[in-house]
């Protein structure tokens, strides 16, 4: 039964996870307020309300001061019978029946003659073998001793063997004659498989051996017979059970009676089973549940959930619109509510082990610290409702949860859970001391400290387990995962460094910009940094089609391609990145950075030449052929990455000569993204955008600062720049009449099949576009039309 419940729960949780993943793939560009999200979130909220009402209205433990009494507990006061009562005591009757069953011995079957014949035959065979050994003229005494010691049915000592070999032939002949007869007589009696029966049978062997035997021959004969005695009567289990049941049924029921006002149990006495039965019969343990309990539970649950929902809407509104996080919140909350029903009860020590701090830690590290504090306050109120007479317990659990959430923080190291458990235990001790000093008994100090420490250790241990399990189950990227992904030894980062060193350098700069900006506006800085590390991993598939991975003065491969093919190459680095993310099992939140770091922008560096070429040929250009698949950024973190990627690429390409030019360029780039609607779904405010601009300016000013010109260097650098421009800028001649666009050549995809009508590409990673002449012309107008991340320099 329990296994089935576990399987159902596991299937339900995995269903939620699969639902969220499928929804992300089917509707990647949907807004958080879509109808599907709203229906799912409402259903989860109603489920949480139903669980809370059930926990509050369920009559366990009974609302009675005697409900939690168990066998062995000390009754605090006298129990007096309120009425005259006469009842059949099931406890006493069952005890009497068990005693009668125990007194009924096992039933044995009659002796089996087969066993007697078998043992007698075996005795004659052994005696015949001993006779052969005794009469062997070629065997030495040592050989004879070894032969006789090898008879496993007999337990002959060395002294007995020497005595047996020293017997005369006449004495041995008497032993050989009398031993089988004596064994046959013994085995005719009933011998049970008990120590007493076996010992009695062996003690009676001497009187059954006939003939005139010497003392030595008598010892040998009785030893042979005693070793060959085995049980011949066995227990009949079926008949034994029948006899015991018959005996138990024959016991008459035992009745007990109490007069009104009679003392049933005296105070300060240890309760027995019959005492609890008497209290049950007298009505002291009956439930007092009524429909008013349900009404009160509904009113209390509705008020509390409304307060929690309003608080979350004011503090962390995105949680109420995020299905995976809301599902995690509802499931963990419901589980801890049910656990509280069984642990927060009138008991001397069990409520103090309730791991409410675990819930606070898990919610803080997987969702948000503010959500954790709101739930901690709500649970403290629920504790007061469940056990209103113990205010200290509610404060004890609530303060432990608050300390656990605050100390754990982001949980970037496993040792954080150790320190958090210690902090919870210390908080527990301080709360208990504040309430009970100076009246606390020193004899109970050791037990109290042990309970408080166990609560802290238990809370931290369960939180660590839930941190890994729930994070993976609900697709939540944890800080420990981010720490692992941020290591330079990760295969994807190593591949990015080795195949696309220019892209790797671009990634490092962008990650620093995005991390500082995220920290400045209160976003997840660590997630932003790690997401920036992986946002361009798709460029490792075709690295030399991106300018940062090409040598100075190298010819652009795009010069030999038409704008459509070049655009498909650049666009494909997003889908290639997603394929690599799936292959290396990157978390979904990291995959969002890959999908959204270009949003739905258009590659104008190829779109404009395509329009010019189509205009000359009288054709139309579909803008979607030059647009990224998106979606647009749906979180502050991915939006910051988009802006950082855009600004770093443009600044590296244009290289503004002053702080003022840099600031103007950043304003134009970010404002263009706002005007294009790319930031409509990420909840960034204009104040936060201003902070982002300031951070970007500080970082880029330090990274792409103008160099100091040394004497005689200015002319050489100018000549070098002109030479590079000549090498990098192919001549474009305009034909007298429109020439047909050559058909693009298919490009092999990562799986070996042709796709996107791209030309054959080298098996290398990817980076930014190498410039063509039209792109160099667009550089002059960069201040008027800011470029995207993939705009050529």
């Amino acid at each position: 039964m329990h296994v089935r419940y576990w399987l159902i729960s596991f299937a339900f949780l995995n269903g939620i996870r699969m639902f969220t993943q499928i929804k992300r793939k089917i509707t990647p560009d949907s807004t958080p307020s879509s109808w599907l999200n709203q229906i799912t979130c409402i259903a989860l909220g109603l489920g949480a309300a139903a669980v809370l009402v059930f926990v509050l209205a369920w009559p366990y433990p009974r609302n009675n001061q005697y409900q939690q009494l168990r066998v062995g507990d000390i009754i605090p006061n006298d129990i007096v019978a309120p009425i005259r009562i006469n009842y059949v005591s099931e406890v006493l009757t069952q005890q009497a029946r068990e005693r009668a069953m125990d007194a009924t011995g096992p039933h044995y079957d009659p002796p089996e003659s087969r066993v007697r014949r078998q043992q007698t035959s075996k005795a004659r065979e052994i005696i015949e073998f001993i006779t052969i050994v005794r009469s062997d003229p070629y065997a030495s005494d040592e050989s004879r001793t070894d032969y006789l010691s090898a008879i496993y049915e007999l337990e002959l000592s060395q002294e007995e063997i020497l005595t047996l070999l020293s017997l005369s032939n006449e004495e041995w002949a008497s032993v050989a004659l009398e031993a089988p007869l004596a064994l046959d007589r013994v085995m005719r009696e009933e011998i049970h498989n008990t120590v007493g029966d076996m010992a009695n049978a062996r003690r009676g062997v001497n009187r059954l051996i006939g003939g005139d035997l010497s003392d030595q021959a008598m010892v040998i004969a009785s030893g042979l017979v005693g070793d060959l005695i085995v049980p011949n009567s066995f227990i009949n289990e079926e008949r034994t059970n029948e006899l015991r049941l018959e005996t138990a049924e024959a016991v008459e029921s035992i009745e007990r009676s109490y007069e009104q006002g009679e003392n049933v149990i005296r105070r300060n006495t240890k309760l027995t089973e019959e005492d609890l039965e008497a209290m049950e019969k007298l009505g002291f343990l009956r439930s007092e549940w009524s429909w008013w309990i349900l009404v009160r539970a509904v009113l209390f649950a509705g008020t509390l959930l409304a307060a929690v929902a309003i608080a979350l809407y004011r503090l962390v509104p995105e949680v109420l619109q995020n299905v995976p996080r809301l599902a995690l919140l509802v499931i963990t909350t419901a589980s801890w509510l049910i656990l509280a029903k069984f642990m927060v009860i009138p008991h001397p020590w069990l409520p103090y082990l309730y791991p409410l701090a675990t819930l606070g830690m898990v919610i803080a590290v997987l969702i948000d610290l503010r959500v954790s504090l709101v739930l901690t306050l709500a649970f403290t109120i629920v504790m007061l409702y469940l056990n209103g007479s113990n205010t200290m317990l509610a404060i004890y659990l609530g303060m432990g949860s608050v300390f656990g959430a605050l100390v754990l923080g982001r949980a970037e190291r496993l040792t954080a859970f150790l320190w958090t458990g210690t902090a919870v235990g210390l908080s527990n001790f301080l709360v208990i001391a504040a309430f009970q000093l100076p009246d606390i008994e020193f004899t109970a100090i050791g037990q109290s400290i042990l309970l408080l420490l166990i609560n802290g250790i238990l809370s931290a241990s369960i939180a660590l387990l839930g941190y890994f399990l729930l994070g993976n189950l609900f697709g939540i990227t944890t800080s420990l995962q981010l720490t692992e992904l941020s290591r330079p030894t990760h295969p994807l980062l190593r591949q990015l460094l080795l195949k696309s060193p220019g892209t790797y350098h671009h990634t490092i700069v962008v990650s620093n910009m995005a991390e500082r900006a995220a920290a400045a506006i209160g976003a997840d800085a660590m997630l932003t940094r790690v997401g920036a590390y992986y946002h361009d991993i798709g460029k490792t598939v075709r690295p030399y089609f991106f300018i940062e991975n090409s040598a100075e003065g190298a010819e652009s491969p795009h010069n030999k391609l038409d704008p459509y093919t070049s655009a498909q190459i650049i666009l494909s680095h997003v889908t290639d990145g997603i394929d690599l993310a799936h292959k290396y099992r990157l978390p979904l939140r990291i995959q969002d950075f890959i999908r959204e770091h270009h949003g739905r922008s258009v590659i104008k560096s190829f779109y404009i030449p395509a329009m010019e070429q189509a205009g000359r040929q009288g054709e139309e250009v579909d803008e979607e052929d030059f647009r990224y698949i998106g979606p647009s950024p749906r979180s502050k973190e991915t939006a910051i990455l988009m802006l950082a990627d855009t600004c770093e690429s443009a600044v590296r390409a244009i290289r503004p000569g002053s702080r003022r030019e840099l600031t103007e360029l950043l304003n134009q780039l970010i404002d263009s993204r706002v005007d294009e609607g790319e930031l409509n779904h990420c909840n960034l405010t204009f104040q936060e955008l201003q902070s982002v601009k300031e951070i970007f300016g500080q970082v880029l000013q330090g990274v792409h600062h103008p160099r100091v010109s040394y004497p005689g260097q200015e002319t050489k650098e100018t000549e070098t720049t002109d030479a590079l421009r000549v090498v990098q800028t192919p001549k474009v001649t305009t034909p007298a009449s429109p020439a047909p666009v050559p058909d693009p050549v298919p490009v092999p995809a990562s799986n070996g099949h042709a796709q996107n009508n791209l030309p054959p590409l080298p098996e290398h990673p990817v980076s930014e576009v190498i410039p063509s002449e039209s792109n160099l012309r667009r550089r002059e107008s960069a201040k008027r039309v800011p470029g995207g991340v993939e705009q050529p320099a």
Side-chain angles (χ1 to χ4, degrees):
M1 184 68 70
H2 295 291
V3 174
R4 184 173 65 184
Y5 289 153
W6 278 110
L7 291 175
I8 293 174
S9 302
F10 183 76
F12 173 72
L13 295 178
N14 274 281
I16 293 177
R17 183 183 181 186
M18 293 176 62
F19 167 78
T20 55
Q21 292 180 352
I22 292 173
K23 178 180 175 296
R24 291 166 68 103
K25 294 180 179 180
I26 294 176
T27 59
D29 202 17
S30 61
T31 63
S33 59
S34 65
W35 64 269
L36 189 58
N37 266 9
Q38 293 177 0
I39 293 177
T40 306
C41 294
I42 291 174
L44 290 173
L46 293 177
V51 172
L52 180 58
V53 171
F54 171 76
V55 168
L56 297 178
W58 183 28
Y60 178 89
R62 311 297 186 187
N63 296 325
N64 190 307
Q65 60 176 331
Y66 301 115
Q67 289 298 318
Q68 302 307 314
L69 292 175
R70 296 292 181 268
V71 174
D73 292 347
I74 304 299
I75 191 71
N77 49 9
D78 292 336
I79 300 296
V80 179
I83 57 173
R84 184 182 183 282
I85 187 173
N86 184 22
Y87 64 94
V88 175
S89 175
E90 298 292 339
V91 173
L92 296 179
T93 303
Q94 183 63 28
Q95 292 176 353
R97 289 173 177 173
E98 289 177 357
R99 289 193 296 268
M101 293 174 67
D102 294 338
T104 304
H107 177 79
Y108 289 89
D109 291 331
E112 297 184 5
S113 59
R114 174 184 58 81
V115 178
R116 174 176 56 81
R117 292 193 300 270
Q118 177 182 339
Q119 292 303 107
T120 303
S121 175
K122 185 178 294 186
R124 291 193 176 93
E125 292 174 359
I126 293 173
I127 290 172
E128 183 179 356
F129 176 76
I130 295 175
T131 302
I132 294 173
V133 172
R134 282 172 48 87
S135 60
D136 187 357
Y138 301 104
S140 62
D141 290 342
E142 292 182 359
S143 299
R144 292 189 181 96
T145 302
D146 292 340
Y147 289 147
L148 297 179
S149 298
I151 303 174
Y152 67 88
E153 290 90 348
L154 303 180
E155 298 178 0
L156 297 175
S157 64
Q158 191 71 18
E159 182 180 356
E160 290 175 335
I161 292 175
L162 295 176
T163 301
L164 189 151
L165 293 175
S166 65
L167 294 177
S168 63
N169 292 334
E170 291 79 8
E171 290 176 325
W172 173 248
S174 300
V175 171
L177 177 63
E178 292 296 332
L181 297 175
L183 180 61
D184 183 76
R185 297 188 189 101
V186 172
M187 294 294 294
R188 290 180 182 275
E189 301 293 334
E190 185 174 325
I191 303 175
H192 300 157
N193 188 19
T194 61
V195 177
D197 273 17
M198 294 293 292
N200 291 334
R202 291 189 176 108
R203 281 195 297 267
V205 169
N206 289 339
R207 61 182 178 81
L208 297 176
I209 298 177
D212 297 330
L213 297 179
S214 63
D215 293 341
Q216 291 182 344
M218 179 65 73
V219 171
I220 295 300
S222 61
L224 291 176
V225 174
D227 289 341
L228 293 174
I229 295 175
V230 296
N232 60 3
S233 179
F234 303 97
I235 297 176
N236 188 328
E237 296 290 348
E238 182 178 357
R239 181 57 182 162
T240 299
N241 292 334
E242 290 178 358
L243 291 175
R244 288 182 174 178
L245 290 176
E246 291 175 0
T247 304
E249 291 175 357
V251 175
E252 296 183 356
S253 299
I254 300 177
E255 295 185 355
R256 296 191 68 177
S257 61
Y258 293 98
E259 298 295 333
Q260 184 176 3
E262 180 181 355
N263 255 340
V264 179
I265 307 172
R266 296 190 178 276
R267 62 179 178 177
N268 298 328
T269 58
K270 187 176 293 186
L271 290 177
T272 61
E273 290 187 21
E274 52 267 30
D275 293 336
L276 288 177
E277 183 187 36
M279 294 179 65
E280 175 69 28
K281 297 296 182 181
L282 290 169
F284 290 101
L285 303 182
R286 291 177 185 172
S287 172
E288 297 179 0
W289 190 89
S290 66
W291 287 103
W292 287 111
I293 295 178
L294 179 60
V295 172
R296 292 198 301 267
V298 170
L299 294 176
F300 176 80
T303 305
L304 182 63
L305 288 178
V308 170
I310 294 173
L312 295 181
Y313 178 77
R314 293 292 187 185
L315 298 175
V316 199
E318 58 270 16
V319 172
L320 299 178
Q321 301 168 344
N322 188 302
V323 173
R325 293 177 184 269
L326 187 60
L328 170 63
L329 190 63
V330 170
I331 291 175
T332 53
T333 302
S335 302
W336 254 254
L337 281 172
I338 295 174
L339 183 62
K341 191 65 175 179
F342 289 94
M343 295 188 67
V344 184
I345 58 178
H347 192 274
W349 54 266
L350 183 60
Y352 296 92
L353 294 181
Y354 176 59
L356 179 59
T358 297
L359 180 65
M361 289 186 279
V362 169
I363 298 301
V365 76
L366 292 182
I367 300 181
D368 191 271
L369 176 61
R370 292 165 293 181
V371 179
S372 174
L373 296 179
V374 170
L375 281 185
T376 296
L377 177 59
F379 261 84
T380 303
I381 298 174
V382 172
M383 297 303 105
L384 290 172
Y385 187 93
L386 293 177
N387 197 355
S389 60
N390 195 344
T391 306
M392 180 189 70
L393 175 63
I395 298 177
Y396 162 90
L397 295 175
M399 291 298 295
S401 181
V402 170
F403 269 88
L406 294 176
V407 174
L408 185 59
R410 296 288 303 167
E412 297 181 1
R413 298 179 182 273
L414 287 177
T415 53
F417 289 91
L418 174 62
W419 292 112
T420 302
T422 304
V424 172
L426 180 61
S427 169
N428 296 339
F429 175 77
L430 294 177
V431 171
I432 295 297
F435 273 86
Q436 294 189 352
L437 285 178
D439 299 328
I440 187 172
E441 298 180 2
F442 289 98
T443 56
I445 290 180
Q447 180 181 359
S448 300
I449 293 177
L450 179 61
L451 286 175
L452 305 181
L453 292 178
I454 291 176
N455 179 270
I457 296 172
L458 184 65
S459 299
S461 301
I462 300 176
L464 179 59
L465 181 62
Y467 180 64
F468 286 104
L469 294 182
L470 296 176
N472 291 327
L473 186 61
F474 288 91
I476 296 176
T477 305
T478 62
S479 57
L480 290 180
Q481 284 180 298
L482 295 177
T483 302
E484 291 295 325
L485 292 174
S486 66
R487 299 182 185 276
T489 55
H490 191 279
L492 278 178
L493 295 183
R494 293 287 298 171
Q495 187 177 351
L496 185 66
L497 174 62
L498 296 176
K499 294 184 177 181
S500 307
T503 303
Y504 184 82
H505 176 265
H506 159 74
T507 296
I508 296 301
V509 177
V510 169
S511 66
N512 290 333
M513 295 171 57
E515 180 183 21
R516 289 187 56 182
I521 67 172
D524 194 332
M526 187 175 186
L527 174 64
T528 307
R529 173 167 60 89
V530 178
Y533 285 162
Y534 292 89
H535 80 281
D536 268 345
I537 57 173
K539 292 182 179 181
T540 58
V541 178
R542 303 178 184 90
Y544 300 112
F545 283 87
F546 296 85
I547 189 172
E548 69 264 24
N549 297 313
S550 299
E552 289 276 351
E555 182 182 2
S556 170
H558 293 278
N559 293 337
K560 302 177 181 180
L561 304 176
D562 62 276
Y564 288 93
T565 304
S566 296
Q568 291 302 313
I569 293 173
I570 302 306
L571 292 173
S572 65
H573 88 277
V574 174
T575 55
D576 291 336
I578 294 300
D579 292 339
L580 288 174
H582 289 160
K583 178 180 178 181
Y584 288 89
R585 298 182 179 179
L586 296 184
L588 294 177
R589 291 291 285 119
I590 301 299
Q591 295 181 28
D592 288 341
F593 286 87
I594 302 174
R595 288 191 183 91
E596 302 172 11
H597 77 278
H598 286 300
R600 293 280 294 159
S601 60
V602 177
I603 306 179
K604 297 180 180 179
S605 57
F606 294 121
Y607 176 62
I608 294 177
M611 291 182 63
E612 295 174 355
Q613 190 179 68
R616 292 194 298 268
Q617 299 176 3
E619 299 177 353
E620 294 184 358
V621 178
D622 187 0
E623 190 180 74
E624 293 300 318
D625 293 337
F626 299 87
R627 185 182 298 277
Y628 285 98
I629 61 174
S632 298
R634 295 172 293 182
S635 65
K636 292 183 178 181
E637 292 79 11
T638 54
I640 291 172
L641 173 64
M642 168 190 277
L643 299 178
D645 198 15
T646 301
C647 295
E648 198 280 334
S649 298
V651 170
R652 176 162 38 85
I654 298 175
R655 297 187 180 182
S658 65
R659 174 78 179 188
R660 178 180 177 182
E661 293 181 4
L662 175 62
T663 302
E664 291 178 355
L665 177 60
L666 294 180
N667 288 333
Q668 292 173 2
L669 293 171
I670 295 177
D671 292 344
S672 67
R673 290 299 191 191
V674 174
D675 296 338
E676 293 168 1
E678 293 292 344
L679 306 181
N680 289 348
H681 306 312
C682 62
N683 297 326
L684 274 176
T685 64
F686 285 105
Q687 182 179 1
E688 291 171 340
L689 279 178
Q690 185 61 35
S691 300
V692 169
K693 291 178 184 178
E694 294 174 0
I695 296 297
F696 285 178
Q698 296 172 9
V699 176
L700 292 174
Q701 178 70 18
V703 175
H704 299 291
H705 58 79
R707 299 180 180 178
V708 178
S709 298
Y710 296 97
Q713 184 182 11
E714 182 176 358
T715 304
K716 184 179 295 185
E717 288 183 353
T718 305
E719 294 174 354
T720 304
T721 304
D722 294 338
L724 290 176
R725 183 177 292 111
V726 171
V727 173
Q728 293 180 356
T729 308
K731 295 182 178 180
V732 180
T733 58
T734 304
S737 59
V741 180
D743 294 333
V745 183
V747 174
S750 58
N751 58 4
H753 300 288
Q755 68 173 7
N756 296 331
N757 294 327
L758 305 180
L761 302 175
E763 294 295 333
H764 295 288
V766 186
S767 280
E768 291 193 9
V769 186
I770 296 180
S772 62
E773 183 177 2
S774 62
N775 296 334
L776 291 173
R777 290 199 304 267
R778 295 189 66 249
R779 179 189 298 179
E780 302 299 328
S781 60
K783 295 182 180 180
R784 290 183 289 103
V785 185
V789 179
E790 304 305 330
Q791 297 285 343

